[in-house]
Amino acid sequence: MAISSSSFIIFISSIIPLALSQLPPQNQIDIIKTISMNISSSSWNTTGQNPCFWKGVTCTGNSITGISLSKLGISSTGILTDLCKIDSLQSVDVSNNQISGTPDGFLNDCGKLNVLKVLNISMNRLTGPLPTFSGFPVLESLDLSSNSLGGVIDFQLDGLVSLKNLDLSKNIFSGNVPTRLGKNPGLRQLQLSSNMFSGLIPAELMNYTNLILLDLSFNNLSGSIPTTLENFTNLQTLILSANHLDGEVPQFLSRMPTLSRFSANQNSFTGAIPPGLTQYLKISDLSYNRLAGPIPVDLLSPQKLQYVDLMNNNLEGEIPTNISLNLLRLRLSGNSLTGSIPSSIGKVLDLTYLELDGNRLTGSIPLELENCVKLTLLNLARNLLQGPLPKGLGKLLQLVVLKLSGNRFTGEIPPEITQLPNLSTIDLSWNSLTGNIPSGITSLRRLSILNLGGNILNGSIPASITGSVSLLELQLGRNMLGGDIPRMPSSLQIALNLSNNHFSGHIPSTLSSLTGLEVLDLSNNQFSGEVPMFLAQSGSLTQLLLSNNNLSGTLPRFNSWTTVVYDGNNDLKAPTPIPSPSPPIVSRIPSPRINPVLLVAIVAVVGGAIHTVVVAAIVLKVSRRFYRVDQNRGLEENLHRLNDGHLTAADRIHRSNINFRKAIKSVL
């Protein structure tokens, strides 16, 4: 229905007084406009006359009650002082900026605000000791995390009488864990992770028995878990990870009905896991400790349980068969577990991560596993599993990572595996698989790692491999492959390993398209002819393995950062040595006097050049270290890998900041 112009005018005239009535007081408008002029970021939307409609500004009635200036590149500490002149502020968020100090005016003015409840200055550049907070009568939440504040925390928080949430994580505080955390016994959340606190977990924390979250992870704490923690009758989350805690995991944790998360990984806990530990938990992480004995039969069964991580301990015995149907992640890697994989795992329909690698499990992969259609990661590597690979794996359409290496699997690779559209990593190496490489495997568009090395595969490499546009690493060493080597995808960067097969003829010229390849292993085949010059001209190659072939001629001269291994080729000669330079002619002309300033400049330039060469040498040495090829096992699985010029861990999550490729180019 059309609206007449007269009706529209009446509507507009009726809302204008309403909008004007919501304007904050003029002094607040002036303050917020002054602040906006001192912020250069264009991402802060300040259009319009009424600041209540600006991005990040919250108003109640006609007063400004909340301001969020996160991620605006603010460096001026004066903005903090200006903010505290708005006497109706209840919440201030200046997180994720570049603020480097807290001026006295800010602490004094904000401390006088009788309504300020939330103060967030996290992810900035604050340094020095923790400032003393005086005033702040109703401050409930203080977040100073992810700065560079340091020193000992003593009396600085004494004046906070209403504090409920305190986050000082990711700083460089030292000394003992602070216990003077304001005068409010109702403190609810305490986060002190990623600092340098040492000593024992203090008993004085019991002054705050209303805590629902206690995070002391990534510090230098020692000793055992104090029994006084049992008195935290409201505690929901207890995180003690990455410290130096020892002793046994206390039984009292099983008697805390409110506790839903207990993470104490990366410590030195010993002894057995207490029974009933997980009866109230949703998340339990005791990985990377020294726990021994069997897994309690009731550990995996509580129906609330969603996440269990016990990897890298000394656990033995069998995996319990009674498993919670709500389990999402089960990680038992790196223990000494025996027996078979329980078929009851097939009833856990929401399971997304199953990691049982590095144990002594026997038997076959249970057929019931095909019911776990939400699996994204399946790692059963380095066990004693045997039998054929079940075709039912092809039903796991969400699977991204499949690792079954280092077992005793036999038979052919089921073509059903090649129909999983999300697969990024396939590692079936070091088994006894036979038959051909399924041609369908090359149609997986997201596949980046394919490792079929150490099997008994025969036939040729599928010609369609060139279409694997995401492939970074291809390991086919130690099989019985032969025939023509097809054009490889130009995306290969980490490694191409064709060693210990039956390839013959000349090294194919199509390999020249692999301009980003780091490691090429052609050893232990029947290649003949000369080593092509394009290999020596590669700017990315760090290792070339040509041993035990029938190559002939003279080896080209390679770049200094490329390690070439070519023994076992009887007709292949070493490259021609570089002629030694002629000896310098001795002059009897008197040495000129050198200007001292010029001498300093020369030393600086030469020193810089030496530093560059040393850095380059270190880079190359580290690069070679991480690309060491084991003639018996191919590229070591657990070493870091290079992805887009950066070292990344084998789990492809952790990423180095060093770009080796750029470092090499910088000294060319």
Side-chain angles (χ1 to χ4, degrees):
M1 182 176 66
I3 299 176
S4 65
S5 58
S6 59
S7 299
F8 181 73
I9 293 173
I10 294 173
F11 171 73
I12 292 297
S13 61
S14 66
I15 66 171
I16 287 177
L18 179 63
L20 292 175
S21 68
Q22 298 299 313
L23 281 172
Q26 188 60 45
N27 68 317
Q28 293 189 5
I29 295 176
D30 294 341
I31 293 170
I32 197 71
K33 286 186 175 181
T34 300
I35 293 173
S36 68
M37 289 187 292
N38 291 327
I39 297 177
S40 58
S41 175
S42 60
S43 61
W44 192 26
N45 183 4
T46 59
T47 57
Q49 293 298 313
N50 190 345
C52 291
F53 297 111
W54 292 2
K55 178 183 177 182
V57 177
T58 302
C59 292
T60 302
N62 65 340
S63 297
I64 297 175
T65 55
I67 294 182
S68 176
L69 304 179
S70 181
K71 300 181 182 179
L72 295 181
I74 299 172
S75 58
S76 171
T77 58
I79 288 177
L80 294 174
T81 304
D82 290 337
L83 283 173
C84 294
K85 294 177 182 177
I86 302 176
D87 56 8
S88 58
L89 269 184
Q90 298 178 21
S91 174
V92 174
D93 181 358
V94 289
S95 62
N96 210 341
N97 283 292
Q98 301 171 22
I99 300 171
S100 57
T102 51
D104 292 337
F106 157 70
L107 288 173
N108 291 334
D109 291 344
C110 271
K112 297 175 183 177
L113 294 179
N114 292 323
V115 291
L116 185 64
K117 294 182 179 181
V118 177
L119 179 58
N120 186 349
I121 320 179
S122 63
M123 291 181 283
N124 276 279
R125 299 179 179 179
L126 302 181
T127 58
L130 181 69
T132 300
F133 288 83
S134 58
F136 298 92
V138 296
L139 187 67
E140 295 181 355
S141 179
L142 175 61
D143 189 348
L144 300 175
S145 62
S146 299
N147 282 285
S148 297
L149 296 168
V152 176
I153 301 175
D154 190 3
F155 57 85
Q156 296 96 319
L157 303 172
D158 275 5
L160 301 179
V161 296
S162 302
L163 194 63
K164 292 182 179 179
N165 304 318
L166 176 63
D167 191 348
L168 302 178
S169 59
K170 297 180 181 178
N171 280 283
I172 51 176
F173 293 116
S174 57
N176 294 327
V177 172
T179 56
R180 299 172 66 173
L181 307 171
K183 298 178 181 179
N184 180 17
L187 187 69
R188 302 283 281 171
Q189 299 187 27
L190 176 59
Q191 299 179 68
L192 302 176
S193 66
S194 300
N195 280 284
M196 301 172 65
F197 294 119
S198 57
L200 305 177
I201 298 175
E204 289 83 355
L205 284 177
M206 290 315 305
N207 295 330
Y208 307 98
T209 54
N210 290 312
L211 281 174
I212 62 172
L213 184 155
L214 176 60
D215 186 354
L216 302 177
S217 61
F218 290 90
N219 281 288
N220 297 313
L221 303 179
S222 56
S224 58
I225 299 177
T227 57
T228 52
L229 290 186
E230 187 175 3
N231 296 324
F232 287 121
T233 55
N234 297 307
L235 194 63
Q236 299 174 11
T237 300
L238 176 60
I239 307 177
L240 304 175
S241 309
N243 280 286
H244 304 294
L245 301 172
D246 54 22
E248 296 187 353
V249 177
Q251 181 71 58
F252 72 77
L253 293 171
S254 65
R255 300 191 294 268
M256 300 178 68
T258 61
L259 192 63
S260 64
R261 177 182 177 183
F262 173 54
S263 296
N265 53 296
Q266 301 179 63
N267 280 287
S268 298
F269 292 113
T270 56
I273 300 174
L277 177 66
T278 58
Q279 66 172 315
Y280 301 115
L281 295 177
K282 287 184 178 179
I283 297 174
S284 176
D285 188 351
L286 288 168
S287 60
Y288 293 91
N289 279 286
R290 302 174 187 174
L291 300 172
I295 299 175
V297 293
D298 62 350
L299 189 83
L300 305 180
S301 61
Q303 290 307 299
K304 291 183 179 180
L305 198 60
Q306 296 180 352
Y307 182 111
V308 175
D309 192 345
L310 297 174
M311 65 188 302
N312 287 84
N313 279 283
N314 301 315
L315 300 172
E316 56 190 14
E318 298 187 358
I319 300 173
T321 58
N322 194 357
I323 303 175
S324 168
L325 300 182
N326 295 311
L327 203 63
L328 301 177
R329 295 189 179 190
L330 178 59
R331 309 181 74 193
L332 303 177
S333 309
N335 284 285
S336 299
L337 300 174
T338 55
S340 59
I341 300 172
S343 59
S344 56
I345 200 78
K347 298 179 182 179
V348 189
L349 303 183
D350 290 331
L351 192 66
T352 57
Y353 280 63
L354 179 59
E355 298 175 71
L356 306 178
D357 54 298
N359 283 287
R360 301 174 187 172
L361 300 174
T362 55
S364 58
I365 298 177
L367 299 178
E368 292 82 358
L369 192 63
E370 69 180 33
N371 298 323
C372 302
V373 293
K374 294 185 179 180
L375 271 177
T376 58
L377 187 153
L378 176 60
N379 190 349
L380 307 178
R382 302 189 312 282
N383 278 288
L384 303 173
L385 300 171
Q386 58 187 11
L389 300 180
K391 296 180 180 180
L393 292 175
K395 296 182 180 180
L396 307 180
L397 298 180
Q398 302 300 318
L399 205 59
V400 175
V401 176
L402 175 62
K403 294 186 177 183
L404 304 176
S405 61
N407 281 285
R408 300 173 179 177
F409 294 120
T410 56
E412 298 186 353
I413 300 173
E416 288 80 4
I417 292 179
T418 68
Q419 299 171 11
L420 302 177
N422 297 305
L423 271 180
S424 172
T425 297
I426 299 178
D427 189 351
L428 307 178
S429 61
W430 302 105
N431 283 287
S432 298
L433 300 173
T434 56
N436 297 332
I437 299 174
S439 58
I441 210 166
T442 60
S443 64
L444 299 174
R445 310 302 290 178
R446 299 182 181 182
L447 191 64
S448 59
I449 307 294
L450 177 58
N451 191 345
L452 303 178
N455 282 287
I456 319 173
L457 300 174
N458 53 38
S460 58
I461 302 173
S464 56
I465 190 71
T466 186
S468 299
V469 294
S470 299
L471 201 61
L472 298 174
E473 179 177 358
L474 178 59
Q475 297 279 346
L476 299 176
R478 288 196 176 271
N479 278 287
M480 301 179 66
L481 300 171
D484 295 333
I485 298 175
R487 177 180 291 274
M488 293 292 168
S490 58
S491 57
L492 281 176
Q493 293 183 19
I494 298 174
L496 171 60
N497 186 349
L498 304 178
S499 65
N500 293 278
N501 279 288
H502 301 310
F503 295 112
S504 59
H506 289 212
I507 296 175
S509 60
T510 54
L511 294 180
S512 62
S513 64
L514 305 181
T515 55
L517 190 66
E518 297 280 345
V519 177
L520 176 60
D521 190 350
L522 303 176
S523 62
N524 295 286
N525 282 284
Q526 289 90 45
F527 288 111
S528 57
E530 296 186 349
V531 177
M533 181 60 69
F534 68 77
L535 292 175
Q537 295 170 345
S538 171
S540 61
L541 205 61
T542 60
Q543 286 205 23
L544 174 63
L545 291 92
L546 302 172
S547 301
N548 301 317
N549 281 285
N550 299 316
L551 298 170
S552 58
T554 301
L555 187 71
R557 182 172 289 108
F558 283 76
N559 294 314
S560 59
W561 59 82
T562 305
T563 299
V564 182
V565 182
Y566 60 94
D567 58 296
N569 292 276
N570 295 331
D571 296 325
L572 183 61
K573 300 177 182 178
T576 305
I578 300 176
S580 301
S582 302
I585 299 175
V586 178
S587 173
R588 294 183 179 275
I589 300 176
S591 301
R593 297 182 63 187
I594 300 178
N595 187 311
V597 176
L598 178 61
L599 178 61
V600 171
I602 293 173
V603 170
V605 172
V606 173
I610 293 174
H611 176 266
T612 301
V613 173
V614 170
V615 169
I618 293 173
V619 165
L620 294 172
K621 182 177 180 181
V622 173
S623 179
R624 291 169 183 167
R625 172 191 169 201
F626 281 95
Y627 286 93
R628 185 173 65 253
V629 174
D630 187 330
Q631 292 293 320
N632 296 319
R633 300 287 290 181
L635 281 178
E636 296 183 25
E637 179 184 52
N638 292 325
L639 293 182
H640 287 59
R641 301 173 182 274
L642 192 69
N643 186 358
D644 194 27
H646 297 265
L647 287 176
T648 56
D651 59 7
R652 314 208 62 76
I653 297 176
H654 308 290
R655 190 171 188 267
S656 167
N657 291 324
I658 303 173
N659 189 313
F660 285 89
R661 209 168 283 123
K662 290 183 178 179
I664 292 173
K665 289 180 180 179
S666 69
V667 295
L668 293 181

